[in-house]
């Protein structure tokens, strides 16, 4: 089975990271046919919109990159921004991707491979140094648990909370590094 996968990125004033990661992530996964990258510009003031329109227009035309912008938030809210981006993804599987994350070669194939064996899982990163960021789950499961808890602020705890609610839904956590 081949699932459509949406890599969902939120960016607020982190263009310097996207310049390093976005094109590389697309190129490393372009061989996977059912793929889209969702980029939510969360009111960036660092020239993100101009850079995307100038440098990513071919991927936008092909439907590989979908660019959205909101001018409402004055400060970054991690849970809210991720919820918006994940809801914009049209894939069967959605994957949060921080602006500074590199996916690696054929990561979309890796995701599809794991979900082909079981659709009651979610994949998440977690390193001994405490860094998180990437989580891949069925979009229907994400919506059923109502995504990230927007009452939470800061970094890290919202990931743990999301994982726990997915496990409570009966989804098995599978880690990757």
């Amino acid at each position: 089975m081949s699932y459509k996968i949406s890599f969902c990125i939120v960016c607020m004033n982190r263009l310097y990271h996207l310049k390093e990661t976005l094109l590389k992530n697309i190129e490393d996964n372009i061989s996977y046919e059912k793929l889209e990258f969702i980029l939510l510009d969360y009111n960036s003031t660092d020239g993100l919109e101009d850079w995307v329109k100038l440098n990513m227009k071919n991927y936008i035309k092909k439907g590989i990159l979908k660019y959205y912008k909101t001018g409402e938030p004055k400060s970054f809210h991690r849970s809210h921004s991720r919820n918006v981006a994940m809801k914009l993804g049209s894939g069967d599987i959605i994957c949060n991707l921080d602006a500074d994350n590199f996916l690696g070669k054929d990561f979309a194939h890796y995701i599809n491979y794991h979900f082909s064996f079981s659709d009651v899982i979610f994949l998440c990163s977690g390193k001994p140094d405490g860094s998180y960021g990437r989580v891949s789950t069925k979009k229907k499961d994400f919506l059923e648990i109502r995504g990230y808890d927007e009452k939470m602020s800061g970094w890290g705890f919202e990931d743990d909370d999301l994982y726990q609610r997915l496990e409570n839904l009966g989804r098995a956590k599978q880690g990757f590094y």
Side-chain angles (χ1 to χ4, degrees):
M1 171 155 214
S2 182
Y3 292 101
K4 182 174 183 182
I5 300 172
S6 300
F7 290 107
C8 304
I9 308 162
V10 177
C11 189
M12 183 180 211
N13 298 323
R14 293 181 68 188
L15 175 58
Y16 60 97
H17 279 136
L18 276 182
K19 284 181 176 180
E20 295 177 10
T21 61
L22 184 58
L23 185 57
K24 178 72 172 151
N25 285 333
I26 291 172
E27 289 175 351
D28 279 351
N29 289 279
I30 198 80
S31 68
Y32 189 82
E33 291 182 24
K34 295 181 174 182
L35 173 75
E36 68 180 0
F37 284 79
I38 303 297
L39 175 57
L40 174 60
D41 179 341
Y42 203 67
N43 201 16
S44 289
T45 58
D46 60 357
L48 175 62
E49 182 175 14
D50 292 336
W51 181 82
V52 168
K53 288 180 179 177
L54 182 65
N55 294 284
M56 304 305 292
K57 60 185 167 193
N58 289 335
Y59 293 110
I60 292 171
K61 283 182 186 177
K62 293 177 183 178
I64 296 167
L65 176 64
K66 296 180 180 172
Y67 174 76
Y68 299 91
K69 180 175 179 138
T70 179
E72 293 179 16
K74 301 303 177 210
S75 60
F76 189 70
H77 191 290
R78 189 171 169 114
S79 294
H80 174 262
S81 64
R82 284 179 170 185
N83 282 341
V84 172
M86 300 284 245
K87 288 176 185 173
L88 290 169
S90 65
D92 306 302
I93 298 169
I94 51 177
C95 178
N96 178 70
L97 182 62
D98 290 344
D100 60 347
N101 290 153
F102 286 99
L103 291 172
K105 184 81 173 145
D106 295 325
F107 189 68
H109 289 281
Y110 174 87
I111 291 171
N112 187 73
Y113 174 81
H114 282 280
F115 278 92
S116 293
F117 285 102
S118 176
D119 66 351
V120 292
I121 63 167
F122 66 99
L123 303 174
C124 62
S125 63
K127 297 184 179 179
D129 67 1
S131 62
Y132 292 93
R134 288 186 288 172
V135 60
S136 301
T137 185
K138 290 282 196 89
K139 184 170 182 176
K140 66 178 182 61
D141 293 343
F142 183 82
L143 295 175
E144 186 170 337
I145 64 165
R146 298 184 179 151
Y148 290 93
D149 184 344
E150 294 185 17
K151 290 181 251 162
M152 299 184 105
S153 61
W155 282 259
F157 297 111
E158 80 287 349
D159 290 322
D160 292 333
D161 175 70
L162 182 81
Y163 302 165
Q164 184 61 58
R165 290 185 290 116
L166 284 167
E167 288 175 336
N168 292 345
L169 187 62
R171 304 306 176 250
K173 178 179 176 181
Q174 293 187 359
F176 61 86
Y177 295 100

